[in-house]
Amino acid sequence: MDGVVRMGRIPGSKNKKMWIREGDIVIANPWEIQDSKADVIWKYTRPQIEWLERKGYLN
């Protein structure tokens, strides 16, 4: 939401369970020491994205 393009890293506990594709909606936590990198915390599924769009959370 801040408009910064970051390199995302999936933590080891979610590494094999989560696949990210271009265009997916994710929650990313920026690193404090390097603003150009972030940890991916959550990936939304298609039904969750549709619900967020209906409720007006995504434009």
Side-chain angles (χ1 to χ4, degrees):
M1 295 187 83
D2 59 3
V4 177
V5 176
R6 292 184 172 91
M7 175 69 68
R9 180 182 73 93
I10 301 172
S13 62
K14 297 177 181 143
N15 194 7
K16 297 194 186 241
K17 299 174 189 171
M18 186 184 305
W19 287 76
I20 308 293
R21 293 187 191 105
E22 188 173 343
D24 285 347
I25 306 288
V26 298
I27 295 177
N29 186 18
W31 291 5
E32 293 180 10
I33 54 175
Q34 283 182 310
D35 195 43
S36 63
K37 296 187 179 180
D39 286 329
V40 176
I41 304 299
W42 187 260
K43 174 190 165 190
Y44 287 103
T45 62
R46 177 56 47 195
Q48 291 171 330
I49 293 170
E50 292 170 358
W51 184 88
L52 290 169
E53 289 172 344
R54 278 197 315 268
K55 296 294 182 177
Y57 292 110
L58 297 176
N59 295 331

